[in-house]
Amino acid sequence: MIIIAIYHLEAKIISRGEGRSAVAAAAYMSCDKIYNDYDGIQHDYTKKQGLVWEHVFLPQYAPPEWKDRAKLWNAVEESEKTKDSRLAREFVVALPVELKKVEWVRLLSEFIEDNFVSDGMCADVAVHDTDGHNPHAHIMLTVRPLDKNGKWQHKTEKEYICIRNGMEQGFTAFEFKEAQSDGWEKQYQYKVGRKKIYMSPSVAEAHGYERVSKYPKSTKYGRQNPVVERWNSDEQLVLWRKAWADINNKYLSRAGVDETIDHRSHADRGIDEQPTVHEGVTARVLELNGIISERCELNRQIKADNLLLHKLKETVKKLMQAVRNTIPTIAEAMENIRQKVTISCYQLRLIRLGQKKYTDYILETNSEIEKYNEIEDKIYDAVKERETLIAEKKNTLFFNFSKHKTLDTKIAELTELLEKLNSEKTALLEYLDCADNDGISKVKKYIFDTETGLKKFNEQEKTYSEKIDTALMKYAELREQGAEFDSQELYEVRQAIRPAKEQLAEQQLRKAYGEKYSAASMLKCRQEASRLLNDEAEKRSVMEKVSPYQKNVIEQRKKKKKCGRSR
């Protein structure tokens, strides 16, 4: 019998929105009878066959009574209030037929403990094998983390957008209790003329604005629990898929099986062959009874196609090996790389110009906003001091002329200072193209957007730098292949096809950038590409190997080309 290890891990979400129930799913996979307190339905699957092993795993802070799956999944149902709640996560995994039952139990226990229970999930697992040929396991997992008291945490929390000194920041209800003592305020809608504007109560009260809504400003979807967010991410699913492949390979190796499984798709592994489809028990039973199953027939066709594809790839590989080591082929490949390097240099140049422009704007604008904030603080302090002095003057007896005179002088100085500060503030607002404090908030948002754009520029710079590095490595490989041939002939073939490649690169960039295309920048990028590809050293190497007569012929050809261009 030929033993072939297979990989199968199917991830599902059990959701009320799809008409499913966590209690029903647990009863089905454990071949048990469980009553659902949420909808009052008894789920009885005790007559179901094929259960090999079942177990409930609990994390550190889970209540011990949840070892009873009926209590566990009813607790889950009770914690979810909406009609479309996500109740549980389910994995269906294929177990290696090469292993025994005791090894399946150890494999599953280690996988569940290391990947789910240690991360705070409750796990309910059941192994099924109805006919001895299709062993598989159902793993149900809770989707809410637990706190240290064994209570379910929130999946998401309301996040209030609070304000302090013109800066906004999000806080949950718990975080706001502490932030409030640091001067942060919630924002509510107030009627300003015909508009409804969000602002803090302190600002609104100072202007006498009327609140029009009792609901504070908040983010649209709230703040997702970081643990839940990680559990729901595509990246985490990839890690779980890899962990399942790794632990299977570990147990297969222990059992002396040479076959391994891989969690990656054929495309990710660079395999052109088509993957076969999952046949299932029903299809195999049909085949054993002499009835052709469509799934099995499809797999036979896929295997035949893959065999032909493999033979075709071998033939193409031999042809490519015969063709690749010719001077025209190598010259074409090297000039293609030059073209790509030139284009990447042009794009990299534009990216770096954008980086400088964005960086300069952020630095300059942040500097001006800092000045604005300093002036605002000074105005605030001056206004408070002036109000204090005016109050003190009112309370000073009228015949205390000396004190009145001193207070008048200080009030006049503060009034003059306020005029000066307000003038500076107006000038800064004009410079920042703002009308008022709301305009400053918009500038800050624009700075944030600019910083986001700068991050994208940085990512693009990294991408194009890596492209150039990869191209240079490939170019070095081609130079090594070209060393087997006549260097002068290779050089001349490359020089002959270079103008067409340069023209093609120019056309591509003109099409991409339109009126923004710069011929001067293109010239500099060609020079940069020549430097990166070490053209001068290559040219000297070729000229050292040719005879004086050949050098003269080459020079004559160059002169003819120059004359042709001048005409």
Side-chain angles (χ1 to χ4, degrees):
M1 182 179 70
I2 299 174
I3 295 175
I4 301 175
I6 62 167
Y7 182 93
H8 178 76
L9 184 148
E10 183 182 2
K12 306 175 184 177
I13 290 292
I14 297 173
S15 167
R16 280 202 192 116
E18 296 175 354
R20 299 193 66 190
S21 155
V23 170
Y28 174 82
M29 74 176 200
S30 62
C31 301
D32 202 352
K33 181 168 73 172
I34 305 177
Y35 181 80
N36 190 345
D37 295 333
Y38 177 80
D39 56 19
I41 298 175
Q42 179 86 278
H43 300 282
D44 188 354
Y45 292 99
T46 51
K47 294 181 181 180
K48 188 178 180 300
Q49 302 297 313
L51 180 67
V52 177
W53 175 73
E54 52 79 23
H55 192 74
V56 175
F57 296 84
L58 298 180
Q60 181 179 0
Y61 299 115
E65 60 267 23
W66 286 359
K67 271 287 184 183
D68 180 349
R69 64 171 48 84
K71 293 181 179 178
L72 168 63
W73 296 113
N74 269 304
V76 167
E77 294 274 2
E78 184 184 4
S79 68
E80 304 297 343
K81 308 300 181 185
T82 62
K83 62 182 180 181
D84 59 349
S85 292
R86 295 166 66 133
L87 304 169
R89 181 175 284 102
E90 181 184 15
F91 289 114
V92 180
V93 295
L95 296 169
V97 293
E98 301 87 345
L99 303 181
K100 298 177 182 178
K101 175 188 170 181
V102 65
E103 292 168 319
W104 292 341
V105 172
R106 288 173 186 162
L107 183 156
L108 281 165
S109 298
E110 185 177 338
F111 174 67
I112 290 168
E113 287 283 0
D114 290 351
N115 291 277
F116 306 128
V117 178
S118 64
D119 206 11
M121 300 183 203
C122 303
D124 190 358
V125 60
V127 174
H128 295 173
D129 189 15
T130 52
D131 60 358
H133 299 292
N134 183 31
H136 61 279
H138 295 259
I139 305 170
M140 279 180 62
L141 305 164
T142 51
V143 294
R144 282 181 186 263
L146 292 164
D147 62 21
K148 291 184 179 180
N149 299 317
K151 303 296 182 183
W152 299 115
Q153 294 183 26
H154 293 290
K155 291 180 185 175
T156 57
E157 289 186 78
K158 194 82 170 177
E159 185 177 37
Y160 301 104
I161 302 174
C162 302
I163 191 167
R164 183 183 69 179
N165 297 332
M167 293 292 290
E168 289 188 333
Q169 188 172 330
F171 296 98
T172 62
F174 179 78
E175 292 168 344
F176 179 68
K177 290 178 182 178
E178 185 176 343
Q180 193 173 16
S181 61
D182 292 333
W184 290 95
E185 295 182 86
K186 291 181 181 178
Q187 299 181 81
Y188 298 87
Q189 274 192 333
Y190 289 87
K191 191 172 182 181
V192 181
R194 294 184 178 180
K195 295 182 179 179
K196 295 177 182 178
I197 298 175
Y198 278 105
M199 64 181 71
S200 64
S202 60
V203 172
E205 287 170 10
H207 292 84
Y209 295 140
E210 177 189 354
R211 188 194 290 189
V212 294
S213 173
K214 66 178 182 179
Y215 300 107
K217 188 177 182 181
S218 60
T219 53
K220 187 174 182 180
Y221 299 108
R223 187 189 301 176
Q224 192 169 25
N225 186 311
V227 177
V228 175
E229 188 174 16
R230 176 167 56 80
W231 289 353
N232 290 336
S233 68
D234 292 338
E235 293 80 10
Q236 183 62 61
L237 179 58
V238 172
L239 292 175
W240 285 330
R241 288 178 60 82
K242 182 180 184 301
W244 179 246
D246 290 344
I247 198 167
N248 271 267
N249 291 333
K250 171 181 165 182
Y251 276 82
L252 287 169
S253 177
R254 284 182 185 175
V257 179
D258 293 333
E259 292 288 338
T260 59
I261 62 176
D262 198 310
H263 68 290
R264 295 172 297 171
S265 67
H266 279 20
D268 290 340
R269 293 160 65 189
I271 299 174
D272 294 330
E273 296 176 357
Q274 300 177 63
T276 53
V277 299
H278 179 65
E279 292 177 354
V281 179
T282 306
R284 290 173 188 162
V285 171
L286 288 172
E287 291 276 320
L288 288 172
N289 292 328
I291 302 170
I292 296 175
S293 161
E294 290 184 6
R295 285 175 173 264
C296 295
E297 183 65 19
L298 176 60
N299 276 345
R300 282 190 284 271
Q301 182 62 48
I302 288 172
K303 288 172 184 176
D305 290 345
N306 287 339
L307 181 62
L308 290 172
L309 178 62
H310 181 72
K311 290 180 179 178
L312 180 61
K313 285 173 69 177
E314 285 294 321
T315 304
V316 170
K317 187 176 179 182
K318 290 176 183 177
L319 288 171
M320 289 295 292
Q321 193 67 31
V323 173
R324 64 184 281 209
N325 293 328
T326 64
I327 285 178
T329 305
I330 292 174
E332 180 81 15
M334 291 179 83
E335 290 306 307
N336 281 338
I337 289 175
R338 168 184 291 281
Q339 178 189 338
K340 289 178 182 177
V341 169
T342 304
I343 291 172
S344 294
C345 283
Y346 189 94
Q347 290 167 314
L348 203 54
R349 179 181 174 82
L350 289 183
I351 288 166
R352 285 170 178 163
L353 287 172
Q355 283 175 315
K356 185 178 185 309
K357 180 182 175 183
Y358 276 30
T359 303
D360 290 347
Y361 171 79
I362 291 167
L363 290 173
E364 185 179 348
T365 308
N366 275 332
S367 174
E368 296 303 315
I369 287 177
E370 190 174 338
K371 290 178 186 176
Y372 177 84
N373 289 335
E374 288 175 2
I375 291 172
E376 281 277 80
D377 291 340
K378 288 177 182 178
I379 290 173
Y380 178 82
D381 293 340
V383 167
K384 285 289 183 185
E385 187 179 353
R386 186 172 178 273
E387 288 174 353
T388 303
L389 291 172
I390 290 171
E392 187 179 351
K393 182 184 175 183
K394 286 181 180 178
N395 294 327
T396 302
L397 296 173
F398 73 93
F399 53 78
N400 194 343
F401 302 113
S402 174
K403 191 171 182 179
H404 271 279
K405 185 176 180 181
T406 303
L407 290 171
D408 285 341
T409 302
K410 289 181 179 179
I411 291 168
E413 288 173 354
L414 286 171
T415 303
E416 186 178 346
L417 176 61
L418 282 169
E419 286 296 322
K420 181 183 176 184
L421 290 172
N422 280 310
S423 178
E424 291 177 7
K425 177 182 173 180
T426 302
L428 274 173
L429 287 171
E430 287 178 2
Y431 178 80
L432 293 169
D433 195 22
C434 299
D436 49 22
N437 287 338
D438 290 338
I440 289 289
S441 298
K442 289 178 182 177
V443 171
K444 289 176 181 177
K445 185 180 183 304
Y446 188 72
I447 289 174
F448 176 79
D449 293 340
T450 305
E451 287 172 341
T452 304
L454 184 59
K455 287 178 184 177
K456 290 180 180 178
F457 273 134
N458 294 339
E459 290 169 3
Q460 287 179 323
E461 182 188 28
K462 183 181 177 183
T463 300
Y464 284 110
S465 296
E466 288 173 353
K467 279 185 179 181
I468 291 174
D469 290 341
T470 304
L472 293 177
M473 288 172 63
K474 182 63 178 174
Y475 188 82
E477 292 174 8
L478 290 170
R479 283 188 69 176
E480 287 182 12
Q481 290 180 30
E484 301 173 7
F485 300 95
D486 183 280
S487 58
Q488 182 191 345
E489 185 181 352
L490 177 60
Y491 182 78
E492 289 181 353
V493 172
R494 289 182 59 197
Q495 293 297 316
I497 63 177
R498 184 168 299 173
K501 296 291 181 184
E502 289 180 343
Q503 187 177 5
L504 184 59
E506 184 178 340
Q507 287 173 355
Q508 289 178 0
L509 289 170
R510 281 185 183 277
K511 185 177 179 181
Y513 294 102
E515 294 179 357
K516 293 183 179 180
Y517 171 80
S518 168
S521 293
M522 184 61 177
L523 178 60
K524 289 180 180 178
C525 292
R526 282 177 182 163
Q527 293 169 350
E528 177 64 10
S530 294
R531 185 188 68 79
L532 290 170
L533 298 171
N534 210 4
D535 279 354
E536 285 301 318
E538 188 176 356
K539 181 180 177 182
R540 284 196 301 272
S541 175
V542 171
M543 296 303 289
E544 285 169 2
K545 294 177 182 179
V546 302
S547 65
Y549 172 75
Q550 290 172 317
K551 286 181 182 178
N552 186 45
V553 171
I554 292 170
E555 290 299 324
Q556 291 296 326
R557 285 177 181 171
K558 284 184 179 179
K559 287 180 181 178
K560 285 182 180 179
K561 283 183 180 178
K562 285 182 180 178
C563 290
R565 287 173 185 169
S566 62
R567 288 174 189 174

